[in-house]
């Protein structure tokens, strides 16, 4: 599993967890982590062309 694939799985999981949170602060924390992983994907790709999901 490459780095981008790992971060994609983590971001998807954080978004899934956010949908299950009744507490707004907990939901936002999961969404923030998903955004963090999305930034890591963008940073690791650099100038590579985006691959389809």
């Amino acid at each position: 599993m490459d780095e981008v694939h790992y971060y994609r799985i983590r971001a998807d999981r954080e978004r899934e967890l956010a949908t299950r949170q009744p507490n707004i602060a907990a939901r936002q924390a999961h969404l923030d982590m998903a955004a963090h992983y999305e930034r890591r994907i963008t940073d690791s790709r650099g100038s590579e062309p985006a691959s389809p999901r």
Side-chain angles (χ1 to χ4, degrees), residues 24-42:
I24 292 173
R27 187 178 313 135
Q28 189 59 50
H30 284 295
L31 293 174
D32 290 346
M33 282 307 298
H36 166 77
Y37 288 125
E38 291 291 339
R39 283 190 302 274
R40 295 290 299 262
I41 291 168
T42 303

Side-chain angles (χ1 to χ4, degrees), residues 3-35:
E3 184 179 27
V4 171
H5 185 231
Y6 171 78
Y7 290 138
R8 171 66 52 211
I9 290 170
R10 292 300 309 155
D12 290 346
R13 178 70 176 142
E14 290 295 337
R15 281 190 291 277
E16 179 184 335
L17 289 171
T19 64
R20 298 178 183 183
Q21 295 299 320
N23 181 298
I24 292 173
R27 187 178 313 135
Q28 189 59 50
H30 284 295
L31 293 174
D32 290 346
M33 282 307 298

